Amino acid sequence: MGSLFRYFMARPIWFAAAVAMALVLLPVAVWLDLRHLSDTALNTQATSLNSMITDIRTYYARNVVGRVLANPGGQTIAAHNYMDIPGAIPIPATLSLELGDVVGHRGDNVRYRFVSDLVFAAREPHPLDEFERQALQTFRTEGADRPLITAIDGTMLDRRIRLAAPVVMGEACVACHNSHPESPKRDWSVGDVRGIQEIEVQQPIAANLFSFKYLLSYFVGAGIFGVGFAAMQWRQARTFGRMNADLEEANSFLASVSMKISKYLSPQVYRSIFSGERDVVISTERKKLTIFFSDIKDFTVTSERLQPEELTQLLNEYFTEMSKIAHEYGATVDKFIGDAILAFFGDPETRGTREDARACLAMAIAMQRRMVELNAEWRRRGIEKPFQARMGINTGFCNVGNFGSVDRMDYTIIGAEANLAARLEQIAEPGGIVMSYETFALVEDEVRARALAPISLKGISREVIPYVVEGIHDEAPEAMPSVINEFTDGARIFLDVERLTEEERARIEEVLTRAVTALRRHQPVVS
C-alpha cells in the first residue's frame, strides 16, 4: 500500500485521475444499488401478491363455490354463521374477517385486519389498539371521504407502516344489520362507518442492508484507501517530524556557528555575506574610503609591568569599548593588529564621502573621550600607567574586498592611503588625533584643527600636511572635565575631582598653584 501511495504521490496526474474515478464511481454505485433494490422490492411484492391471490382463490373455492356446489338443490343464502347452514356463503363482514386470517397465517410481512367496535352478539369482540380506535373515531367524526390514516413506527432493526381505511355501510348492509337479531345496532344509515380495514406491512432493516452491496463495496474500498492514506499521512507526519527536528537541530547549530563567525567579522561584512548581497569570492573594488588607524602609546612598557592575565583582560576591555563606539558610528572594523585597530568608512555601506569622513572623526573623538573615562577606571583598579591611544585618519582611494586564496580569504583594504593613516597615527600625541588634508577638507566646518609643518613619510611620494584635532574634550559630557589625565616624560598628572574630599581639594589646589608658579619661573617644585 505504501509503495502504491508513493507511486501516486510521485505522479500527481495519476492521483488526480484516481480521485476523479472515485467520484464518478459513487453515483454509479448508487444507481446500481437503487436498481437492485427496485428489482428486489418488485420480486418480493410479486411473490407476496401471488401468495395472497392463491390463498384467496383457495378460500373462495372452498368456502363459497364449494359450499354452493355441495347443496345443488338447496337455497344459497349469505349469513354470518354460514358454516352452520348448508349451502350458505359468508357475508362481506365475515368474508373480510376470515380473509384476514388467510392472509396473515403465512407469517409474511403483510397483515390484513377487519375490525369494528360493533360486532354481532354471537361473535367475540374485536380487540382494538390505540391506532385502530383513533382511526375509527376519526372516520366517524370527519367522514369517510377524508384521506386514509397511516402510522409509521418501528425499532432500530425494523420499520412498520399501518394503513386504515373506513368500511362504509351500503344499502344491502344497512338492510341486513337493521333487521338481524344479533346486530348490536339497528339504526344504520347508508354511508355510516361500521369499522375499518387495516393493512400492516413490516420490513426488517437488516433484510435490505445487503441490497446496497455496490455502495457498501464502494465504501469498503474507500475506507481501505482512506485508512491507507491516513497511515501514510501518519508515517509522513512522523518522517516530517523527524526531519523538522533534524532541521531545527541543524538550524540551531548553524545559528550558533553563525554567531561565532560573526565575532570574527565586522557587522556590515557579516550582514552582507549572510544576506546574499556579497559573494565569498576573491574580488576587489576601488573605492574612496576614510581610513582610521590607532594604537597604544608605549604599549610594550605597559605590558612589561602587567601580568599576562591582567594585560589580556585590559586589552580585551580596551578593544571591546572601542568596538562598541565603532559599531555605533557605522565603522567597518577591519582587524586588530596587536594593540592597533584598523577600521574604515565607505564599504560595504556608505553614506557618501563627506558623511563618512564626519562619522569617522566623530568616532575618533568619542573614542578619546571614552579613553579618559577608562583611564580613570583603570587607575582606580591599580594600573599605574594606563593605555594612551594615538589616532590617525585619512581619506582616499583604496582597493577593498576579499584578498587571499580560494581556500582562505580576508576582507580588508590595501593601498597607499591606508599606509598614510598609519603614518599619521605615529606622529600623533598620546590622546590626540591627526588627520590628512583630504579628511580635513571634508570636516573643517565641524572641527577645530591646527596644521603642522609638511612632512615626508616613507612610502608617500608627496609631502603631507598633518592636521591636529584640537578641543577634543571641549564638548565632552559633563562628567569628563572632572577627570584630568596628562602624561609626559617630565610630568604625570591624574586628577579625579569627584573623588576628592574638601580637605584634599584645598591641598591639591595649593600644590597646583605652586606648580603653576614654578612652571612660570622654570624652577623645580618642592612640595
Side-chain angles (χ1 to χ4, degrees), residues 511 514-519 523-527:
V511 172
R514 285 184 289 159
V516 171
T517 302
L519 286 173
Q523 294 179 359
V525 177
V526 179
S527 60

Side-chain angles (χ1 to χ4, degrees), residues 96-147:
S96 298
L97 292 172
E98 293 183 351
L99 282 180
D101 295 334
V102 170
V103 173
H105 86 281
R106 287 181 170 272
D108 293 337
N109 59 344
V110 179
R111 189 169 66 92
Y112 172 82
R113 287 191 68 196
F114 176 84
V115 294
S116 175
D117 56 348
L118 300 171
V119 299
F120 283 5
R123 294 176 179 173
E124 294 183 1
H126 299 163
L128 303 178
D129 58 19
E130 183 63 25
F131 170 76
E132 293 165 338
R133 286 194 295 271
Q134 290 289 343
L136 187 58
Q137 180 63 32
T138 301
F139 285 127
R140 286 175 176 170
T141 303
E142 300 181 10
D145 295 335
R146 63 147 289 142

Side-chain angles (χ1 to χ4, degrees), residues 63-84:
N63 292 354
V64 178
V65 177
R67 293 184 62 82
V68 171
L69 295 178
N71 187 26
Q75 183 180 4
T76 300
I77 63 173
H80 70 282
N81 55 344
Y82 70 98
M83 296 297 293
D84 299 331

Side-chain angles (χ1 to χ4, degrees), residues 321-512:
E321 294 297 326
M322 297 302 103
S323 296
K324 286 181 180 178
I325 296 173
H327 178 64
E328 178 183 350
Y329 285 88
T332 300
V333 178
D334 188 335
K335 58 175 66 69
F336 302 120
I337 311 169
D339 62 317
I341 301 175
L342 173 60
F344 55 87
F345 289 77
D347 192 77
E349 299 173 359
T350 181
R351 289 171 285 181
T353 304
R354 183 176 298 275
E355 291 302 321
D356 288 342
R358 291 177 175 177
C360 184
L361 177 61
M363 177 193 72
I365 294 175
M367 286 181 173
Q368 290 293 19
R369 291 174 177 176
R370 180 58 178 156
M371 285 298 298
V372 174
E373 297 177 347
L374 290 175
N375 277 325
E377 176 63 27
W378 289 335
R379 279 191 167 276
R380 294 188 191 104
R381 284 157 43 182
I383 307 300
E384 183 180 0
K385 295 191 67 174
F387 295 154
Q388 291 289 298
R390 303 179 300 187
M391 300 177 183
I393 302 174
N394 181 39
T395 301
F397 283 93
C398 295
N399 288 338
V400 57
N402 294 326
F403 295 85
S405 68
V406 293
D407 299 323
R408 190 177 187 278
M409 59 189 67
D410 187 20
Y411 177 81
T412 186
I413 59 174
I414 62 172
E417 303 299 334
N419 296 335
L420 177 55
R423 300 293 190 273
L424 293 172
E425 172 269 318
Q426 292 175 359
I427 67 174
E429 293 293 332
I433 303 171
V434 176
M435 58 183 171
S436 66
Y437 174 77
E438 287 76 5
T439 302
F440 173 72
L442 297 171
V443 299
E444 60 180 339
D445 57 338
E446 293 190 357
V447 67
R448 288 188 294 111
R450 174 172 49 89
L452 301 178
I455 59 174
S456 297
L457 299 176
K458 184 178 179 180
I460 305 296
S461 60
R462 69 183 187 279
E463 283 191 341
V464 176
I465 302 177
Y467 284 81
V468 178
V469 177
E470 295 182 336
I472 295 176
H473 302 290
D474 289 354
E475 299 178 3
E478 295 181 358
M480 288 187 178
S482 65
V483 179
I484 300 174
N485 189 19
E486 294 291 339
F487 296 92
T488 66
D489 292 338
R492 183 180 303 164
I493 301 175
F494 176 79
L495 181 62
D496 189 348
V497 178
E498 292 185 353
R499 297 185 61 191
L500 297 176
T501 63
E502 292 297 329
E503 296 179 358
E504 290 173 338
R505 288 184 182 182
R507 185 170 64 84
I508 293 299
E509 183 178 357
E510 181 182 353
V511 172
L512 292 176

Side-chain angles (χ1 to χ4, degrees), residues 44 47-49 51-52 55 102-111 200-202:
T44 302
T47 302
S48 298
L49 184 60
S51 300
M52 291 174 58
D55 291 341
V102 170
V103 173
H105 86 281
R106 287 181 170 272
D108 293 337
N109 59 344
V110 179
R111 189 169 66 92
E200 178 181 321
V201 180
Q202 188 169 2

Side-chain angles (χ1 to χ4, degrees), residues 18-328:
V19 173
M21 180 64 70
L23 295 176
V24 170
L25 288 177
L26 178 59
V28 172
V30 172
W31 178 78
L32 290 174
D33 280 331
L34 289 176
R35 189 181 69 172
H36 176 71
L37 185 63
S38 177
D39 293 344
T40 302
L42 290 174
N43 182 67
T44 302
Q45 292 175 7
T47 302
S48 298
L49 184 60
N50 178 68
S51 300
M52 291 174 58
I53 293 175
T54 301
D55 291 341
I56 293 173
R57 186 175 62 248
T58 302
Y59 173 84
Y60 179 77
R62 182 181 64 248
N63 292 354
V64 178
V65 177
R67 293 184 62 82
V68 171
L69 295 178
N71 187 26
Q75 183 180 4
T76 300
I77 63 173
H80 70 282
N81 55 344
Y82 70 98
M83 296 297 293
D84 299 331
I85 303 173
I89 59 176
I91 62 175
T94 303
L95 175 64
S96 298
L97 292 172
E98 293 183 351
L99 282 180
D101 295 334
V102 170
V103 173
H105 86 281
R106 287 181 170 272
D108 293 337
N109 59 344
V110 179
R111 189 169 66 92
Y112 172 82
R113 287 191 68 196
F114 176 84
V115 294
S116 175
D117 56 348
L118 300 171
V119 299
F120 283 5
R123 294 176 179 173
E124 294 183 1
H126 299 163
L128 303 178
D129 58 19
E130 183 63 25
F131 170 76
E132 293 165 338
R133 286 194 295 271
Q134 290 289 343
L136 187 58
Q137 180 63 32
T138 301
F139 285 127
R140 286 175 176 170
T141 303
E142 300 181 10
D145 295 335
R146 63 147 289 142
L148 303 182
I149 299 175
T150 59
I152 300 176
D153 59 8
T155 64
M156 293 181 60
L157 300 179
D158 58 13
R159 304 299 292 169
R160 180 181 66 169
I161 182 171
R162 301 176 70 182
L163 183 145
V167 177
V168 182
M169 299 289 285
E171 293 183 1
C173 296
V174 169
C176 176
H177 281 262
N178 287 341
S179 61
H180 200 285
E182 296 183 7
S183 176
K185 180 181 178 181
R186 300 190 179 181
D187 57 350
W188 292 101
S189 300
V190 175
D192 288 347
V193 177
R194 179 173 181 256
I196 60 172
Q197 58 181 7
E198 176 189 357
I199 297 176
E200 178 181 321
V201 180
Q202 188 169 2
Q203 181 66 53
I205 295 178
N208 293 325
L209 181 62
F210 293 100
S211 296
F212 298 93
K213 57 183 179 180
Y214 296 105
L215 194 58
L216 289 175
S217 300
Y218 176 87
F219 285 139
V220 168
I224 294 174
F225 181 81
V227 170
F229 185 82
M232 285 304 303
Q233 289 295 308
W234 177 75
R235 284 186 58 189
Q236 284 196 340
R238 291 190 59 188
T239 302
F240 287 150
R242 289 193 297 267
M243 292 174 61
N244 287 335
D246 294 340
L247 287 174
E248 288 179 2
E249 184 178 353
N251 287 338
S252 299
F253 174 75
L254 290 176
S256 175
V257 172
S258 175
M259 290 300 297
K260 293 176 182 178
I261 293 176
S262 68
K263 305 298 182 181
Y264 293 88
L265 299 172
S266 66
Q268 298 90 334
V269 177
Y270 173 82
R271 287 196 300 268
S272 65
I273 292 175
F274 281 85
S275 65
E277 297 177 5
R278 180 181 296 273
D279 293 330
V280 185
V281 295
I282 297 177
S283 64
T284 61
E285 296 179 88
R286 187 164 177 79
K287 288 188 175 182
K288 193 170 187 178
L289 308 175
T290 297
I291 305 101
F292 168 88
F293 200 94
S294 75
D295 77 345
I296 298 173
K297 173 66 174 174
D298 296 330
F299 178 74
T300 303
V301 176
T302 303
S303 63
E304 290 175 351
R305 298 185 180 186
L306 298 175
Q307 294 297 322
E309 294 79 7
E310 292 178 321
L311 179 63
T312 300
Q313 180 182 359
L314 197 65
L315 191 60
N316 288 337
E317 186 176 353
Y318 164 72
F319 283 142
T320 299
E321 294 297 326
M322 297 302 103
S323 296
K324 286 181 180 178
I325 296 173
H327 178 64
E328 178 183 350

